[in-house]
Amino acid sequence: MMRFRHRGAIVAATCLWNAAGAVAQTLPPQRPDSVYTGAMVTRWGKGVTPENAWRSYPRPQWTRSRWQTLNGTWDYAITKAAAPMPVAMDGKILVPFAVESRLSGVARKLRPEDRLWYHRTFTIPTDWAGQHVMLNFGAVDHAAHVWVNGALVGSHEGGSDPFGLDITAFLKPGDNALVVQVSDPTSAGSQPRGKQTLDPDGIWYTAVSGIWQTVWLEPVPALHIADVRAIADIDRGKVEVDVAVNGSAHDTDAVRLSVRSGGRTIATTIVRANRHASLDVSGAHLWSPEDPFLYDLVAELVTVDDPYRGRPDRDRTAYDARFTQREGATYAAATVAGAPRDRIDGYFAMRKISVGPGRVTGQPALLLNNRPYFQNGTLDQGWWPDGLLTPPSERAMRSDLEFLKKAGFNMVRKHIKVEPARYYYDADHLGMLIWQDMPAGGGEDQFVTGTSQSQAVLSSDVMAAQQNELAHMIGALRGFPSIVLWVVNNEGWGQYDSATLARYVKGIDPSRLVDADSGWLDVAPDVSDVADIHTYEDVPHTPPHDSKRAIVLGEYGGVGRPIDGHLWRADKRWSYQVTSDAQDYLARYKRKVDEVARQARENGLSASVYTQTTDVEGEINGLLTYDREVAKASLADFARIAAPLRVPAK
């Protein structure tokens, strides 16, 4: 059994919680590896304690009734890579906040040559007896190795995607010891990392390492539902559903699917486990930002009476029926025996995103539910002064979406960051379209510039890592109907073979659109669904006409206005255009949005992405200050200026 003790002096030096348990307002004593955190704490961050840190169910699009959070106070230590597992720990850390963040209680750098260690104990509830136990991580940046009771149970690479490990065989009665080791090269490596850097400045932000989303336990049967993929087809009035279990299924293992609305069952069917189902949702209530209507979808793993029992050559009959209409009809009529063995409750939306004829002849447009629909969005970095990549709370995260809705926006481009699942759940329910970026990777010398004429050359290993995390991101997020477009590359940062990657994404998820290259080097015109330019001029440039693709402003805006008392650093005020005058700020903002409206009306522009939702560290071009306390203009003014872009989908 592993035993850990603390280096007491360091515990006192690195703890940021005050006597009441909430985050303290004073910084810890400085040390050589301290991270600059500034003095800024959000109003939500001020209330964070080990007892209330991120307590919501972490997979809200597919829920089970029983689970246990492991968020809260853990032990931590930072060692060199060659050092063995430490016995003496450095202090306490608040999970799920990254070690560099203020809210973690640590605010220390993790260098490429370092290893970050976590330790805590947990017990399994007695009513979980007979179940398998999954240990789930929302996200760990970047490479994690996990031990339970001294045994290595698994590892994972990829800083933005969730993963789970079946730890049943390693558990014992009473306290169980959990240890996680993390390494993270940040900008010294080529792995997907978004805007993180070891030397933050300008548009590059403080590194995030270690556990930065919820850690949790969940009991499941030995054979359980592993994935449900629901794709709406509004033209046929169907929802197409794939159901996968975690292993090989027997002929008596089936899944009962039920579509419900307002407590009423609309459609139900039974399919063999690891099969496809099609359910009728005719006369559907369509989802849109103005009317974000959602249907419930329940998936139950059930046992059915052997549907082939008594048939001549029973095994051959079952084998020949695999993946046929005959098999589908057989299971639809099967008799369920006993209670469900597993159940997950989810939801889906009947909505369609596509490209088709627009309001300007000859210029295709983005369509929502088969009608032209202008997507008015912001570039959203999703960073926080006290939590970095981790919002201080679920309520804090939702507040950004609520602000944008009130300010007249209907879309967010989630910029080279993947959010906790609840963000997309909130977007589904509030009615906000999402463009989801792939977090950028590659070395600094592999960043394609605005004048480049060819793409980066990467090793096979680096390309495989990028594609693996791209597939994991799509797999984790495709259950959220608010996501309507995948952005593969941003401004050439690690851009390689984007046409192949765009086809790869379309193959994984044909139900959404793909932006192969947002800004700069457009090399996939035959694959990308949009032609995307970035323009930070005082009056935005107009994208050239494209007879095959929708035209969009993937980034524009960037009007900066510093608000004294709400700056990350008083000496850092980066923006594309800067004004300190409220009237001048509003005039500049209006001039840009008015031009977007003209382009939509006269040139067939389909979408625009204003930079940006909030100030971020040294950047001051947000609609809100970094602490979300001050809006650069009133909500009424923002909504009034956006009004010409508002064309509801009918």
Side-chain angles (χ1 to χ4, degrees), residues 92-319:
K92 299 291 186 180
I93 187 169
L94 180 56
V95 170
F97 298 102
V99 69
E100 295 91 348
S101 72
R102 183 187 187 102
L103 286 176
S104 72
V106 178
R108 289 176 62 185
K109 297 176 183 176
L110 187 74
R111 300 182 178 92
E113 66 271 17
D114 293 335
R115 296 296 180 266
L116 171 61
W117 297 85
Y118 294 84
H119 165 259
R120 67 158 291 161
T121 60
F122 64 91
T123 59
I124 300 299
T126 56
D127 63 353
W128 291 10
Q131 296 284 288
H132 281 233
V133 176
M134 296 296 299
L135 171 63
N136 299 310
F137 294 83
V140 181
D141 198 357
H142 169 258
H145 299 271
V146 182
W147 290 262
V148 172
N149 294 325
L152 181 66
V153 299
S155 60
H156 177 80
E157 287 195 16
S160 297
D161 47 279
F163 65 97
L165 302 167
D166 187 336
I167 61 172
T168 311
F170 306 93
L171 297 173
K172 61 183 182 62
D175 287 344
N176 292 271
L178 171 60
V179 173
V180 181
Q181 182 214 60
V182 178
S183 62
D184 185 11
T186 309
S187 51
S190 296
Q191 80 289 350
R193 61 189 177 277
K195 285 199 169 185
Q196 301 179 55
T197 181
L198 294 169
D199 300 301
D201 190 45
I203 67 169
W204 305 101
Y205 312 143
T206 303
V208 167
S209 302
I211 299 169
W212 67 275
Q213 290 188 32
T214 292
V215 186
W216 52 297
L217 299 170
E218 184 177 39
V220 295
L223 185 72
H224 57 270
I225 298 169
D227 203 357
V228 179
R229 298 185 290 272
I231 298 176
D233 186 338
I234 69 169
D235 298 324
R236 296 172 50 243
K238 302 282 187 181
V239 59
E240 305 295 335
V241 185
D242 291 329
V243 185
V245 296
N246 64 308
S248 296
H250 297 293
D251 288 333
T252 55
D253 298 321
V255 175
R256 180 167 57 202
L257 294 166
S258 302
V259 175
R260 297 175 180 172
S261 180
R264 182 173 62 91
T265 299
I266 294 172
T268 187
T269 191
I270 298 173
V271 295
R272 189 188 189 279
N274 291 328
R275 294 296 190 266
H276 173 83
S278 182
L279 291 95
D280 182 69
V281 193
S282 54
H285 189 155
L286 302 184
W287 184 98
S288 72
E290 293 74 28
D291 184 12
F293 184 87
L294 297 166
Y295 288 90
D296 298 322
L297 180 61
V298 178
E300 298 170 295
L301 179 64
V302 297
T303 301
V304 296
D305 293 339
D306 184 353
Y308 300 106
R309 181 185 297 137
R311 298 193 185 186
D313 199 3
R314 183 249 175 243
D315 292 344
R316 186 70 203 185
T317 299
Y319 183 86

Side-chain angles (χ1 to χ4, degrees), residues 51 82 184 200 260 282 424 511 526 563 577 587 607 619 628 634:
E51 291 71 38
D184 185 11
R260 297 175 180 172
S282 54
Y424 306 96
S511 71
D526 295 331
I563 305 294
Q577 294 112 34
E619 291 188 56
R628 278 74 167 173
S634 71

